[in-house]
Amino acid sequence: MSATTSRRSLLALALSAPLVGTALAACGDSGPAGSSGSGGGGGGAATIWILTGQPAEGIRTDSVNAFNKANPDSKLTVSTYQNDAFKTKIRTAIGANQSPTIIWTWGGGGLRDYVKNGQVEDLTSFFADNAALKDKLFASAFGAATVDDKIYAVPCENVSPIVMFYNKKLFQQVGAELPTTWDDVMALVPKFNAAGIAPFSLGGQSRWTNMMWLEFLYDRIGGSELFDSIYQGKPDAWSHPDSITALTKVQDLVKAKGFINGFASITADSNADQALLYSGKAAMMLHGAWTYSSMKSDGGDFVTGGNLAWSSFPTVTGGKGDPTDTVGNPSSYYALSSKASDEAKTAAKKFLAEGLVTDATVKAWVESGAVPIVNGSDSEFSGSDDADWLKFIYDTASGAKVFQQSWDQALSPTQAETLLDNIEKLFGLAITPEEFAKNMNATLAG
């Protein structure tokens, strides 16, 4: 899966991208999606819609085919859609009570809306009956699947935390050590600037890339409770002193010229930010784990030659956050339509319990260069050229006490768009931290 596909499918297109037309880019559509046989509002066989894009599409399709072969009386009909088309189609289908039986969701705010409108099943009892499945999955992946202490989706597939990347050659060039604290980060900024090297690469035009800095600073300074109070809609939560401190530190970094000149016009979808790191124009980059594979394929010997280093986000002196906490994409999720027929629900639950997370799918995700959200999947890493990297991601995700879902997914679509707009202004120094907090507090009403 490319860096762009991973990010777009798991974050940006989930909530903040504009709606497109209803034309469906269905690749190998196996059934009349949205028809009375969809397993949504009417009866009929169970259905599942999945996203296109290899290698993920192949892994998803193979898992359904294997299940159907083993369960000829409980088959699922699968349809495939590109990201934009799916996003439009699923909203229309759910609104008309014609959704697929198994609903792909990114969890967080979108899932919360489904729950509020009674469109998805409470799967808490499902997991009580399938405790072995729950125990198999990373505990940190369930946060984005949980609403009001009840589980409404099955975590699945792979994990992508946000990682701090470093160009080791540039660190050697200026005689610097990798940072472990925020003070270290700020001390490195003038050192790299003096050498004519941008301290950090950033594709700021994409906005969600800027957001990653706030996600980590809020956690490291205020602990996971800080964003949780925002997620729960606590009045004036964005104005908490720890929030203002985090917002101020971001602007301190901008004012110190911590990011490459012109970062606001650089896009992440073009992978231009990654190129700045591996080409030696920037020393550091905060980005998703999905960028590793594209840097490996596009960056010459940058990765294979041992010039890439990585770590978790640095600690902040005096902060309340747990250094094991991480942010990003805890997993993908499948919910169950509450409007499906009993027959379809039974088949779907059987697939979710037995066909979604298998030895074959775990092996396939690892071979694709991804880390499955399955405890013990690290046993598949031996012999891989990327074993150290995969182990780091596995340990980060499985060991995180809190794996905060990216904010533009965790919040409602309306809140997410306001957030991204204000983050752009914050990084552009067009608003103060206090103005940012005031603007975001307005989204908490109701």
Side-chain angles (χ1 to χ4, degrees), residues 165-404:
F165 292 101
Y166 310 99
N167 185 319
K168 288 164 53 175
K169 185 180 293 185
L170 297 182
F171 272 80
Q172 294 167 359
Q173 182 178 320
V174 302
E177 298 294 325
L178 301 185
T180 59
T181 68
W182 183 255
D183 291 339
D184 292 341
V185 169
M186 294 303 293
L188 285 170
V189 170
K191 182 170 288 193
F192 280 114
N193 277 328
I197 301 166
F200 285 97
S201 171
L202 180 64
Q205 186 175 325
S206 299
R207 301 186 303 175
W208 56 263
T209 46
N210 304 2
M211 179 182 66
M212 297 186 290
W213 285 91
L214 289 179
E215 289 170 343
F216 262 123
L217 282 170
Y218 270 59
D219 180 87
R220 295 296 189 258
I221 293 169
S224 60
E225 300 82 4
L226 181 57
F227 181 74
D228 189 59
S229 69
I230 293 167
Y231 179 70
Q232 297 300 334
K234 181 178 179 181
D236 297 324
W238 287 100
S239 294
H240 190 284
D242 289 337
S243 170
I244 300 301
T245 298
L247 296 166
T248 300
K249 286 189 181 297
V250 159
Q251 289 200 325
D252 287 344
L253 184 57
V254 174
K255 292 173 183 177
K257 300 188 184 302
F259 300 110
I260 192 163
N261 289 337
F263 69 85
S265 62
I266 297 172
T267 65
D269 282 355
S270 65
N271 294 348
D273 46 0
Q274 300 173 42
L276 291 169
L277 183 73
Y278 63 66
S279 66
K281 293 180 175 62
M284 298 172 280
M285 179 180 71
L286 184 67
H287 220 313
W290 58 84
T291 61
Y292 176 89
S293 60
S294 56
M295 287 193 288
K296 183 179 179 181
S297 62
D298 299 338
D301 65 352
F302 177 63
V303 174
T304 58
N307 293 318
L308 175 65
W310 53 78
S311 76
S312 298
F313 194 86
T315 60
V316 176
T317 303
K320 305 180 184 75
D322 188 319
T324 68
D325 288 354
T326 193
V327 306
N329 303 344
S331 78
S332 301
Y333 298 91
Y334 280 121
L336 180 63
S337 171
S338 61
K339 310 300 181 181
S341 67
D342 290 341
E343 177 187 359
K345 287 179 182 178
T346 298
K349 287 180 178 179
K350 187 174 181 63
F351 171 74
L352 294 175
E354 301 174 8
L356 185 59
V357 182
T358 66
D359 290 345
T361 58
V362 167
K363 185 175 182 180
W365 284 114
V366 172
E367 289 178 347
S368 76
V371 174
I373 60 158
V374 176
N375 292 309
S377 60
D378 55 334
S379 63
E380 299 286 340
F381 300 164
S382 59
S384 169
D385 293 338
D386 304 312
D388 290 344
W389 163 255
L390 294 172
K391 187 66 163 60
F392 168 74
I393 297 301
Y394 176 90
D395 290 345
T396 296
S398 63
K401 289 185 176 64
V402 174
F403 194 142
Q404 174 58 57

Side-chain angles (χ1 to χ4, degrees), residues 23-64:
L24 298 179
C27 305
D29 193 350
S30 302
S35 70
S36 60
S38 68
T47 56
I48 179 172
W49 298 354
I50 64 173
L51 301 184
T52 59
Q54 298 297 348
E57 179 186 349
I59 298 172
R60 295 166 187 144
T61 302
D62 287 348
S63 68
V64 174

Side-chain angles (χ1 to χ4, degrees), residues 106-146:
W106 291 266
L111 180 63
R112 195 175 183 130
D113 283 350
Y114 291 163
V115 173
K116 180 180 179 181
N117 293 315
Q119 294 160 331
V120 293
E121 286 271 294
D122 178 355
L123 295 179
T124 307
S125 60
F126 166 83
F127 278 106
D129 295 338
N130 294 277
L133 173 63
K134 187 176 182 182
D135 291 344
K136 184 184 292 187
L137 305 175
F138 290 172
S140 59
F142 280 87
T146 303

